[in-house]
Amino acid sequence: MPFPFSSAARLFATAALAAVLAGCSHPITMITETAPPRSMAHLIPKKVAYVMTDAQRDQQVTTAGGSGDRVSYYPYRDLEKSIRDALRAVYRDVVVLRAAGDAKVNEAAGVSLVFTPQIKTDSSSSSWITWPPTAFTAEVSCVVSDTAGAEVTRVRAVGNGTAEFGEFNGDYGLAARRAATRLTSQLSSEIRRNEKLR
């Protein structure tokens, strides 16, 4: 005759199973192939840079998915293309720097402006059955400095993306990539709109 579980044992087993399930983290990517149009005739004839360190590229973030699960991704690594595409839609030449504030390096490279981005992300899901997020938000705030490192202005852009269960079809980061696409478009628009960045 099997040894019966006590109520306390059943409760503990149920709580342990719930903790394991809640701890699941599924990898997704935010990288999008979509970029704002780049018209050579309308580009600002400047060389600009954005700052992205290896430590930022290696920074992993975990946010909410559906059914109690979570999703993990690398926001700086994934959104680097979006930031570069936004800048390339406005300026003639765009380069990346490993660190900000080195005036001699900037001057030698012919860089006029340096964009230092800070990225925030969040996700959620309306589904209690599937784990991919159905809503995703990506925000980038850039401090823009001159060659000497003095702050010129700041720009901010937010992209929101949604996706329903029937749209995923194995593309589990769909909401995240839609957010990245909208972020790219808004960032390039905010840069064009700012007179200090012309």
Side-chain angles (χ1 to χ4, degrees), residues 148-164:
E151 182 176 322
V152 174
T153 188
R154 298 185 179 212
V155 289
R156 175 179 173 270
V158 178
N160 295 301
T162 59
E164 299 302 323

Side-chain angles (χ1 to χ4, degrees), residues 103-151:
K104 290 183 179 179
V105 171
N106 295 341
E107 187 176 357
V111 170
S112 300
L113 298 167
V114 178
F115 290 74
T116 303
Q118 293 293 320
I119 296 172
K120 294 181 181 179
T121 55
D122 198 11
S123 63
S124 62
S125 177
S126 57
S127 174
W128 289 98
I129 301 172
T130 58
W131 63 262
T134 57
F136 202 98
T137 300
E139 175 186 334
V140 60
S141 301
C142 293
V143 175
V144 189
S145 307
D146 61 17
T147 305
E151 182 176 322

Side-chain angles (χ1 to χ4, degrees), residues 4-169:
F5 279 117
S6 68
S7 296
R10 285 195 192 95
L11 184 61
F12 177 79
T14 301
L17 178 61
V20 168
L21 291 175
C24 290
S25 177
H26 303 273
I28 62 170
T29 178
M30 303 170 63
I31 299 172
T32 175
E33 295 304 316
T34 306
R38 189 171 196 252
S39 171
M40 295 299 293
H42 297 96
L43 294 179
I44 297 173
K46 284 185 177 180
K47 185 176 186 178
V48 301
Y50 66 91
V51 178
M52 186 77 66
T53 67
D54 289 339
Q56 287 175 319
R57 292 188 183 97
D58 290 339
Q59 180 182 329
Q60 187 177 35
V61 169
T62 302
T63 53
S67 70
D69 284 8
R70 300 174 74 77
V71 290
S72 61
Y73 47 93
Y74 296 86
Y76 283 89
R77 183 189 303 174
D78 288 358
L79 288 175
E80 181 171 6
K81 179 183 182 299
S82 294
I83 294 168
R84 184 172 60 248
D85 286 344
L87 292 170
R88 281 176 47 81
V90 180
Y91 298 103
R92 185 168 294 171
D93 198 4
V94 178
V95 297
V96 60
L97 300 176
R98 291 180 179 273
D102 192 333
K104 290 183 179 179
V105 171
N106 295 341
E107 187 176 357
V111 170
S112 300
L113 298 167
V114 178
F115 290 74
T116 303
Q118 293 293 320
I119 296 172
K120 294 181 181 179
T121 55
D122 198 11
S123 63
S124 62
S125 177
S126 57
S127 174
W128 289 98
I129 301 172
T130 58
W131 63 262
T134 57
F136 202 98
T137 300
E139 175 186 334
V140 60
S141 301
C142 293
V143 175
V144 189
S145 307
D146 61 17
T147 305
E151 182 176 322
V152 174
T153 188
R154 298 185 179 212
V155 289
R156 175 179 173 270
V158 178
N160 295 301
T162 59
E164 299 302 323
F165 174 72
E167 297 180 275
F168 289 130
N169 194 26

